[in-house]
Amino acid sequence: MIAPGLAGAVIIAIAARVLTNFLPAIVAEVSVALLLGIVVASLAGPRLRPLTPGLAFSAQRLLRLGIVLLGARLSLAEIARIGLPATVLIVITMAASFAIVILVARFVRVDHRLAILIAVGSAVCGNTAIVATAPVIGARAREVAYAVATITLFGTVAVFLYPAIGQAVGLPPLASGLWAGVAVHDTSQVIATGAAFGPDALDVATVVKLIRNALMAPLLLLIAAVWASRAETAVVPAGGT
């Protein structure tokens, strides 16, 4: 049954909305809900097991529906106004993020498959990109789990840390949304971070993140081609040619 979990998610959402009214404007409702969820899960532990189906439904189906509706409310003209000028920056930051993770992983001797998973999760769209890339490179289940845990941890920290930094340095809405869109990993985390900066920043962050998500397909094709060429190169000496 999903009803108990749905009820629990609704209660957390209502509690977050009420608490946000008593907190400084810098604190976003989504961030409060996330923190409440972490606290409740830590305190309740296994007692939350009956809520698992409903919570999973909320975190997957309902959250994705909300993100789709959030993007649908933006007009094509607004998407073009925000997205076209930012596309070059998005591509550059994605390439830089991917390259930096690969270089650091090589320096600290992280397995190449795991390095690619973390790099894709950082550069593109978090856990979805990791899961999509795993079969392309033949990643093991534990490597996928480690990469997902790493991206989730750093993305969650960003939800709380980035708005505080942005407010402290006085970033305008456009810059705040652009920063959230290119620097935070998972789509839900981007939405939460953008919402903390305000509605204008949320619109920018949403468009930027949608562009990043759209670039996942060509990146996967590139990774598949490079990985296949590496495999062929490794096999050739073994054949004695």
Side-chain angles (χ1 to χ4, degrees):
M1 290 182 60
I2 65 173
L6 283 175
V10 170
I11 291 172
I12 290 292
I14 293 173
R17 171 157 293 189
V18 172
L19 287 174
T20 305
N21 294 329
F22 300 96
L23 297 173
I26 188 178
V27 181
E29 184 178 317
V30 179
S31 300
V32 175
L34 180 61
L35 185 59
L36 284 176
I38 293 173
V39 171
V40 171
S42 300
L43 294 177
R47 286 174 290 182
L48 289 179
R49 198 163 295 159
L51 306 183
T52 300
L55 293 176
F57 179 82
S58 301
Q60 297 172 8
R61 303 290 181 85
L62 292 184
L63 179 60
R64 290 173 183 172
L65 176 61
I67 293 171
V68 169
L69 294 176
L70 182 63
R73 72 184 180 85
L74 298 171
S75 67
L76 292 177
E78 192 169 4
I79 293 175
R81 179 182 63 85
I82 296 172
L84 292 180
T87 300
V88 175
L89 177 61
I90 295 169
V91 172
I92 292 174
T93 55
M94 286 177 61
S97 175
F98 191 93
I100 289 171
V101 172
I102 294 298
L103 289 175
V104 172
R106 182 173 299 178
F107 179 75
V108 298
R109 298 182 180 179
V110 172
D111 180 81
H112 195 51
R113 287 185 176 88
L114 178 57
I116 291 177
L117 294 179
I118 296 176
V120 168
S122 300
V124 189
C125 58
N127 298 337
T128 303
I130 292 172
V131 173
T133 306
V136 173
I137 61 175
R140 296 182 290 268
R142 64 180 181 181
E143 293 170 333
V144 175
Y146 191 94
V148 167
T150 301
I151 293 301
T152 301
L153 174 61
F154 281 93
T156 302
V157 171
V159 170
F160 297 101
L161 185 61
Y162 285 14
I165 295 175
Q167 294 284 348
V169 300
L171 285 179
L174 177 60
S176 301
L178 187 60
W179 184 32
V182 301
V184 184
H185 304 139
D186 200 66
T187 302
S188 58
Q189 296 165 344
V190 170
I191 299 302
T193 308
F197 286 117
D200 293 335
L202 175 59
D203 288 347
V204 176
T206 302
V207 173
V208 171
K209 190 63 176 70
L210 291 176
I211 294 174
R212 283 175 64 194
N213 293 350
L215 292 173
M216 180 171 66
L219 180 59
L220 282 178
L221 291 175
L222 179 60
I223 291 174
V226 173
W227 193 263
S229 65
R230 282 170 50 91
E232 290 176 0
T233 303
V235 169
V236 167
T241 57

